[in-house]
Amino acid sequence: MPIANDLRQRLYPQLPAIAEHFGTPFHLYDETGIRATVAGLHAAFAGVAGFKEYYAVKALPNPRILALLRELGCGFDCSSIAELVLARQAGARGEEIMFTSNNTSPEEFAVAAQDGGCILNLDDISLVAKVPQMPELVCFRYNPGAERSGNSIIGTPLEAKYGVPHHQLLDAFRAAQARGARRFGLHTMLASNERDHRYMVQTVEMLLSVAAWVQTELGIRLEFLNMGGGLGIPYQPDDEAFDVAALGQQAQALLEDFRTRHDHAPALHMESGRYVTGPHGVLVTRAINRKDSYRTYIGVDACMSALMRPGMYGAYHHIDVVGKAASTADAPVDVVGSLCENNDKFAVQRPLPPVEDGDLLVIHDTGAHGHAMGFNYNGKLRPQELLLRSDGSVARIRRAETLQDYFATLDFAAQEWQP
Ligand SMILES: *Cc1c(COP(=O)(O)O)cnc(C)c1O
């Protein structure tokens, strides 16, 4: 179930006019869909005290999207200085921001502490001594090692650079306590694009058993557990959607059970990116060339600078040709950009209706890890971003990059330096 039929119906009749006005290519995000998904998430966890979604800013770091998410009650998960700045520009402060960095630098610690600080999520025991001023509330990212298998995308925790290993976790809490921390949380992030809610239920179960262990060993009552992000979305037409209601119900039951046995229960946090905005973005690009060689290539005016996932992971993104219905007679084509890399393909041997120069192609599910992952290799520029508002109007929320942007960091009159 790539992008909702509802979005197709609202968007496609208007798309030629939008493309005419703004020019192609562009990512377009759907306010209505984002609102509905966040409402669904909150409904699923309505029975969980203290539930909070910290939107993973790296998925779609656009201030207008972040402002919308904040209005809907989300906090932000940041892992760089730029993301902290964006979260604060959106108005988030203190415990509405989680800073999940790894290999953290002194500059990052300094910015994390500014403007009322944030929830510091420490990635390693060695960082406890490096926090310039230990905040009252601190969290650790937990890596369960051999105790969990991770999912197929993110790989085995034993090989992941992230998180505090099991055998150092108690010492990490002790060390933070010795430096003055008084309130504690626990975080983990084990899955990516996981569509089976049972995996996330197991993660909550795992965090609760660690919380019980920490309480028994150290007398520390964890204030919150953060199950990470990684909830999957259906990229392929016959993929099933993640059952967020089932996750909410089962998480609630686990927390209630914990409460009866321990006389309190931690709040539950989540930091999804993809699940919240992924299905509510599309990359709209125009066909500009058709090449019939050993295969048929449809050349479009966007390239992998706008969307890395197909080239980087072989990821599937569904494609519609606007105004042309798919049929069983469709012949397979490769949909390609102009970058000098043979993996610059949005689709490989994909059956599509006959595409002619000038046709608009809609590449689905680009609302997370799309524009944000873009890059400038080969001098390719990143496209503009548009927002389809719930009132039907369209706003440009990021302009396209220009050659001036590309050249902006170059120093044409280089200052020589001799050691
Ligand atoms: C990337 C990331 C997320 C978001 O992942 P999604 O797959 O978009 O949900 C959340 N937390 C951390 C620490 C991440 O690195």
Side-chain angles (χ1 to χ4, degrees):
M1 185 208 69
I3 69 166
N5 269 328
D6 159 64
L7 175 57
R8 276 199 178 100
Q9 279 159 19
R10 282 183 289 116
L11 180 63
Y12 287 12
Q14 298 204 51
L15 204 50
I18 296 172
E20 187 66 35
H21 180 77
F22 290 98
T24 54
F26 53 83
H27 286 272
L28 177 142
Y29 310 117
D30 178 36
E31 177 182 345
T32 302
I34 295 172
R35 284 183 181 276
T37 291
V38 175
L41 196 58
H42 286 153
F45 286 92
V48 174
F51 174 78
K52 195 168 178 72
E53 151 73 359
Y54 288 77
Y55 179 72
V57 173
K58 77 166 190 268
L60 180 45
N62 186 296
R64 296 284 284 277
I65 302 295
L66 301 185
L68 170 63
L69 291 169
R70 182 166 148 78
E71 179 204 317
L72 298 175
C74 297
F76 299 112
D77 181 62
C78 304
S79 46
S80 68
I81 288 175
E83 290 174 5
L84 282 169
V85 171
L86 282 168
R88 288 179 179 139
Q89 275 175 358
R93 285 292 178 276
E95 293 175 24
E96 295 167 333
I97 302 172
M98 176 91 158
F99 188 52
T100 304
S101 60
N102 70 91
N103 184 21
T104 311
S105 68
E107 293 75 19
E108 287 172 325
F109 278 130
V111 177
Q114 284 168 9
D115 295 326
C118 58
I119 304 178
L120 209 51
N121 189 16
L122 296 178
D123 187 72
D124 189 47
I125 188 168
S126 66
L127 295 173
V128 172
K130 294 183 176 174
V131 180
Q133 177 93 56
M134 182 59 69
E136 190 194 35
L137 172 62
V138 80
C139 179
F140 286 102
R141 179 173 186 161
Y142 172 62
N143 181 330
E147 298 182 23
R148 273 316 276 293
S149 57
N151 79 352
S152 58
I153 295 174
I154 214 157
T156 161
L158 280 173
E159 292 166 7
K161 68 170 175 167
Y162 307 111
V164 181
H166 187 83
H167 61 276
Q168 292 173 351
L169 189 67
L170 293 179
D171 282 341
F173 280 110
R174 281 189 194 104
Q177 216 168 18
R179 284 212 58 202
R182 290 291 167 264
R183 300 165 54 207
F184 300 94
L186 184 70
H187 165 275
T188 200
M189 167 85 192
L190 298 174
S192 180
N193 197 26
E194 175 61 64
R195 282 180 296 105
D196 188 345
H197 71 276
R198 288 171 302 184
Y199 188 90
M200 297 306 292
V201 172
Q202 284 166 16
T203 298
V204 175
E205 238 173 337
M206 177 197 80
L207 288 171
L208 282 167
S209 85
V210 174
W213 177 54
V214 169
Q215 185 166 335
T216 308
E217 294 294 325
L218 305 175
I220 290 175
R221 291 185 166 197
L222 296 180
E223 277 192 28
F224 67 83
L225 304 176
N226 186 321
M227 69 174 104
L231 277 64
I233 60 170
Y235 285 100
Q236 303 255 7
D238 47 7
D239 279 350
E240 270 181 50
F242 187 96
D243 190 345
V244 73
L247 171 59
Q249 267 164 21
Q250 290 173 42
Q252 184 182 347
L254 289 169
L255 285 158
E256 276 164 12
D257 175 60
F258 186 95
R259 187 188 303 279
T260 53
R261 284 186 292 122
H262 299 277
D263 199 34
H264 84 106
L268 189 62
H269 296 169
M270 169 189 282
E271 50 185 35
S272 281
R274 187 191 321 271
Y275 182 80
V276 170
T277 55
H280 308 303
V282 289
L283 173 60
V284 178
T285 181
R286 209 181 274 284
I288 56 170
N289 288 299
R290 178 195 172 93
K291 171 171 173 173
D292 289 299
S293 77
Y294 300 109
R295 287 180 176 182
T296 296
Y297 295 96
I298 302 300
V300 297
D301 63 2
C303 71
M304 64 192 298
S305 71
L307 179 67
M308 292 282 283
R309 298 188 70 259
M312 203 150 103
Y313 314 121
Y316 180 97
H317 282 259
H318 200 68
I319 299 180
D320 284 334
V321 184
V322 176
K324 295 184 175 174
S327 99
T328 47
D330 292 343
V333 297
D334 285 12
V335 178
V336 303
S338 58
L339 206 134
C340 287
E341 282 286 340
N342 196 42
N343 60 351
D344 180 22
K345 297 181 177 182
F346 293 115
V348 176
Q349 292 300 282
R350 178 83 53 89
L352 283 184
V355 180
E356 290 154 65
D357 287 4
D359 280 349
L360 288 174
L361 274 66
V362 178
I363 303 175
H364 292 198
D365 302 310
T366 69
H369 314 298
H371 188 287
M373 254 192 212
F375 68 133
N376 287 131
Y377 180 54
N378 204 195
K380 298 298 179 184
L381 305 174
R382 277 164 292 198
Q384 57 193 328
E385 297 182 294
L386 309 179
L387 176 63
L388 175 62
R389 293 207 195 94
S390 294
D391 66 6
S393 64
V394 179
R396 193 174 75 177
I397 58 174
R398 184 198 295 269
R399 67 165 171 80
E401 279 177 338
T402 64
L403 278 181
Q404 276 105 308
D405 296 328
Y406 181 71
F407 294 134
T409 51
L410 293 172
D411 207 334
F412 289 96
Q415 305 287 312
E416 306 298 336
W417 179 74
Q418 287 225 319

